[in-house]
Amino acid sequence: MSVLDLAVVRGDATVREALEASVAMAQCAERSGYRRVWYAEHHNMASIASSATSVLIAHVAANTETIRLGSGGIMLPNHSPLTIAEQFGTLATLHPGRIDLGLGRAPGTDQVTMRALRRDPMSAESFPEDVLELQGFLGSESRIPGVKAIPGAGTNVPLYILGSSTFGAQLAAQLGLPYAFASHFAPEALTQAIQIYRGRFSPSEQADSPWAIAAVNVIVAPTEEEAAEELHHAKRSRIAALLAPGRRFSEAELDAVVDSPGGRQVASMMRYTAAGTPDTVSEYLEDFRAHADADELIVAPGSRSVEGRLQSLELLAEVAGLG
């Protein structure tokens, strides 16, 4: 079991406080026995502070000792493969055996911000080739003669393909790489994607068998009532952040947004959410793991406060026997 930390900037909190919370969450995950913590590349989102993903990983790695850290994911079409190889090669050199590189092809932002990133609208089309180029830079043989990633070459940072549709599943299977599905916000294609991945997997130097990761939202509290209240607020916050980013609502205005067709659509994106006491959540996750046919679950804590997210990780680790 692993952790997806969205480096959430909540309410009146500052970005610095959100980044400090990410350190605290990674330290908690390390103490509690989780396998890894991943951070996602998002841009121009006031509620998420992990846009400079490799920089955040470096900071958290310097403040932890053993837990694996990585991207969930780096949106590769936003960057050159050489740049990412150098960044993650540096991380792997400084923190050997602890760095993962999850890769996605979406922009991680809106169309206007995508242009500000200087991203070519057609860049996603070359994603498979870019993954192979990146893999070459991190391995022993560059695919571009005369160009070497320094640092990077020979680090063999493990690659993971991320997805919310069947495209990533097919690519991960073809390349023989582990596959992580974003079921915490895109539940529709989960079972189909995992079936395609397992059915078409071709062994590679990195992996001789498929490894499927499924993401799920979690809120764990001492009582069902506390968990239900946190889930209520988590859904409302998600709806507001996606439908009207940066806007402050009165309770009545937010009620109207939540009850709108768009609000109901956003709420449905949280279909895979485990909320309740430790035993309730543990039972849900066992059923979800079987449903998803996943080798690993990556949980996204959804409580409002840092203390609530740490509590979720600690209570879940205890009932799951991770320590």
Side-chain angles (χ1 to χ4, degrees), residues 74-314:
I74 289 292
M75 301 297 104
L76 189 55
N78 291 347
H79 315 273
S80 74
L82 177 59
T83 297
I84 297 304
E86 291 169 342
Q87 291 177 4
F88 279 77
T90 300
L91 290 170
T93 300
L94 292 172
H95 308 283
R98 296 182 57 199
I99 303 300
D100 301 326
L101 178 47
L103 302 166
R105 65 173 183 145
T109 190
D110 56 81
Q111 296 296 312
V112 175
T113 308
M114 186 176 76
R115 289 193 291 273
L117 287 167
R118 301 298 189 268
R119 171 170 166 154
D120 184 336
M122 299 302 295
S123 57
E125 301 299 319
S126 64
F127 180 64
E129 293 77 15
D130 288 347
V131 172
L132 289 172
E133 185 177 312
L134 173 59
Q135 191 173 46
F137 283 135
L138 292 169
S140 58
E141 187 173 350
S142 170
R143 287 176 172 261
I144 301 181
V147 179
K148 190 174 183 179
I150 305 171
T155 58
N156 295 301
V157 177
L159 304 185
Y160 297 73
I161 300 298
L162 276 58
S164 57
S165 69
T166 58
F167 175 88
Q170 295 176 57
L171 180 62
Q174 177 185 344
L175 299 181
L177 296 175
Y179 177 58
F181 192 87
S183 35
H184 63 303
F185 74 84
E188 293 301 327
L190 170 63
T191 54
Q192 182 186 11
I194 299 296
Q195 287 171 359
I196 289 173
Y197 171 63
R198 291 196 180 280
R200 302 183 186 180
F201 183 85
S202 177
S204 67
E205 288 188 16
Q206 180 176 326
D208 56 10
S209 59
W211 186 265
I213 304 172
V216 56
N217 303 292
V218 297
I219 296 174
V220 193
T223 68
E224 297 288 350
E225 291 76 18
E226 290 175 83
E229 181 180 358
E230 287 295 327
L231 178 59
H232 171 74
H233 287 286
K235 286 183 175 180
R236 291 167 71 86
S237 297
R238 178 81 62 90
I239 291 168
L242 290 180
L243 296 185
R247 180 179 170 186
R248 291 186 177 274
F249 291 97
S250 67
E251 285 299 309
E253 290 172 331
L254 186 52
D255 285 341
V257 173
V258 169
D259 291 335
S260 70
R264 291 192 292 273
Q265 173 62 28
V266 172
S268 73
M269 294 163 62
M270 296 180 65
R271 178 192 309 172
Y272 295 125
T273 297
T277 61
D279 288 339
T280 299
V281 171
S282 179
E283 182 178 352
Y284 179 100
L285 293 181
E286 284 294 328
D287 291 341
F288 173 71
R289 181 168 180 161
H291 168 72
D293 193 15
D295 300 292
E296 179 179 344
L297 298 183
I298 187 163
V299 299
S303 298
R304 286 172 290 176
S305 67
V306 178
E307 293 75 18
R309 298 196 290 281
L310 296 178
Q311 176 180 251
S312 284
L313 292 181
E314 291 169 344

Side-chain angles (χ1 to χ4, degrees), residues 28-105:
C28 175
E30 184 173 74
R31 291 193 305 270
S32 301
Y34 288 87
R35 184 185 185 98
R36 64 181 109 242
V37 182
W38 279 0
Y39 307 93
E41 177 188 346
H42 291 282
H43 299 280
N44 195 32
M45 296 186 69
S47 60
I48 297 180
S50 53
S51 56
T53 314
S54 58
V55 178
L56 177 56
I57 293 170
H59 178 61
V60 176
N63 286 277
T64 51
E65 296 180 359
T66 58
I67 194 165
R68 298 192 68 89
L69 301 165
S71 58
I74 289 292
M75 301 297 104
L76 189 55
N78 291 347
H79 315 273
S80 74
L82 177 59
T83 297
I84 297 304
E86 291 169 342
Q87 291 177 4
F88 279 77
T90 300
L91 290 170
T93 300
L94 292 172
H95 308 283
R98 296 182 57 199
I99 303 300
D100 301 326
L101 178 47
L103 302 166
R105 65 173 183 145

